[in-house]
Amino acid sequence: MNKIVYSKGLGKLSLLEIISRIDRTNVGTKKSVPCYIVDNYAIISSTILCSDYARQDRIIDSVHALADSGVNAVRLYGYVSDESDKRTYGDDSYCSAMFVMDKAPGQELYKGVSYSHLRTDPEATASLLSYMDMLANAPQEHYTKFVHDYMAILRNGVAVDPSKKGNFFYDPDKGFTFIDLRNPRNEIGSRFLATNMLTVISPYGLTEETRQDSNIARYYDKRAATILIKMDNALLANGFTREDIDECFTDRRYSDGLYASGMRFGSFDSVAEARDVLDSDSVM
């Protein structure tokens, strides 16, 4: 048998029936990892480590437990892995697989905003600002829960991938939702936990050309500042210190030789800069 099926909460026949109804219209951001919608389910076409099904099964079980506890994690109902379609990278072999999960509520963060070197292409500025309006208007409790849920996921032995903003959705009623929760061996920079959270929410920057329009620059900075202050409040409410947060914006070298450059949130190099913009009519 070439196919391996694991199901949690739906039953294998239901899982296979949902997959059989995909129409191959990719609604995902990445062409290399297509996403299809069937009813209220999303089906991701990806890969699975062929030698490690047990670990993937435990992750699915953990995500269900997290969702049951109130964490905004999209329930993953299982997968079908095709061992006849296998690719090898180094010592590991990956089989193609279809993963079935709930459709995430709301909008994928910054979906469709084109950019180069993290600077928004000028023609995508209006789209970027619309996302920033949405996030600036989000209540503080949604940000506080985002940080709480992020930490709860990690504590339960599941990794979050903050390298792609598309792994996070926002809904005005439900708040932030996590998708693509994964194997802890693929965890990205747990040492930089606060930085990772800020990076997820941070808007892409504006080009110098776009910032020549002072109205756009002011509009952008005011909203970026509002979003950053809400994230700052959320981190502090979840046990991070002022020093932890300020460190995200500073260059630092660690005892093991690892070097990390300070991040930028929108146009800001510190939380203090964001507060100054909100207290004045200036732009950065």
Side-chain angles (χ1 to χ4, degrees):
M1 179 177 177
N2 290 327
K3 294 187 183 296
I4 305 293
V5 182
Y6 181 78
S7 179
K8 172 78 172 181
L10 274 179
K12 292 183 178 180
L13 291 179
S14 295
L15 193 79
L16 292 168
E17 190 271 334
I18 291 168
I19 291 174
S20 73
R21 291 196 287 125
I22 62 175
D23 65 4
R24 298 294 173 179
T25 301
N26 178 20
V27 300
T29 301
K30 296 179 63 178
K31 291 182 180 180
S32 59
V33 185
C35 175
Y36 312 106
I37 301 298
V38 173
D39 299 332
N40 290 318
Y41 299 103
I43 300 94
I44 303 293
S45 178
S46 186
T47 60
I48 190 170
L49 186 61
C50 304
S51 62
D52 209 6
Y53 291 110
R55 187 189 297 266
Q56 180 63 62
D57 298 351
R58 286 195 298 273
I59 291 171
I60 292 173
D61 292 345
S62 294
V63 172
H64 269 262
L66 285 162
D68 287 342
S69 74
V71 170
N72 286 349
V74 162
R75 292 180 189 272
L76 183 60
Y77 292 104
Y79 59 85
V80 177
S81 173
D82 186 356
E83 294 204 317
S84 66
D85 185 3
K86 186 180 298 186
R87 299 175 186 176
T88 300
Y89 301 95
D91 296 330
D92 294 327
S93 293
Y94 293 85
C95 300
S96 64
M98 304 292 283
F99 294 85
V100 177
M101 63 196 70
D102 279 331
K103 180 182 176 183
Q107 298 184 55
E108 179 182 322
L109 291 188
Y110 303 107
K111 181 178 181 180
V113 178
S114 57
Y115 62 93
S116 301
H117 306 293
L118 297 182
R119 293 288 181 267
T120 303
D121 296 337
E123 63 272 14
T125 301
S127 179
L128 171 69
L129 294 177
S130 71
Y131 282 103
M132 295 177 71
D133 283 341
M134 176 181 72
L135 294 176
N137 289 325
Q140 179 63 55
E141 53 264 33
H142 284 177
Y143 287 91
T144 303
K145 181 170 171 55
F146 166 72
V147 176
H148 170 274
D149 286 359
Y150 200 122
M151 296 170 67
I153 290 165
L154 299 185
R155 282 197 303 269
N156 280 271
V158 184
V160 178
D161 180 5
S163 69
K164 305 177 187 68
K165 296 181 187 294
N167 288 335
F168 306 85
F169 281 65
Y170 181 75
D171 177 79
D173 295 321
K174 191 174 182 63
F176 295 96
T177 298
F178 298 74
I179 70 168
D180 194 25
L181 300 178
R182 54 179 52 212
N183 187 332
R185 65 178 281 175
N186 296 323
E187 188 172 345
I188 297 177
S190 60
R191 175 184 294 181
F192 308 114
L193 183 54
T195 301
N196 289 343
M197 294 185 202
L198 288 167
T199 300
V200 167
I201 305 298
S202 177
Y204 299 117
L206 298 178
T207 64
E208 289 304 316
E209 172 190 352
T210 305
R211 288 194 69 87
Q212 294 302 311
D213 186 322
S214 61
N215 290 327
I216 291 177
R218 183 174 296 106
Y219 195 93
Y220 174 93
D221 286 346
K222 290 283 189 180
R223 276 145 189 78
T226 298
I227 296 166
L228 177 52
I229 297 305
K230 289 182 178 181
M231 277 299 298
D232 183 63
N233 292 336
L235 290 165
L236 291 171
N238 280 281
F240 289 87
T241 66
R242 169 55 52 211
E243 291 74 19
D244 293 331
I245 300 168
D246 289 345
E247 186 182 62
C248 299
F249 296 90
T250 59
D251 297 343
R252 53 216 187 269
R253 188 178 298 279
Y254 296 89
S255 57
D256 57 6
L258 180 64
Y259 173 81
S261 58
M263 71 166 295
R264 170 169 281 202
F265 192 103
S267 55
F268 303 119
D269 293 317
S270 70
V271 175
E273 287 183 354
R275 292 193 185 280
D276 286 344
V277 163
L278 288 183
D279 291 339
S280 69
D281 197 36
S282 64
V283 296
M284 295 304 299

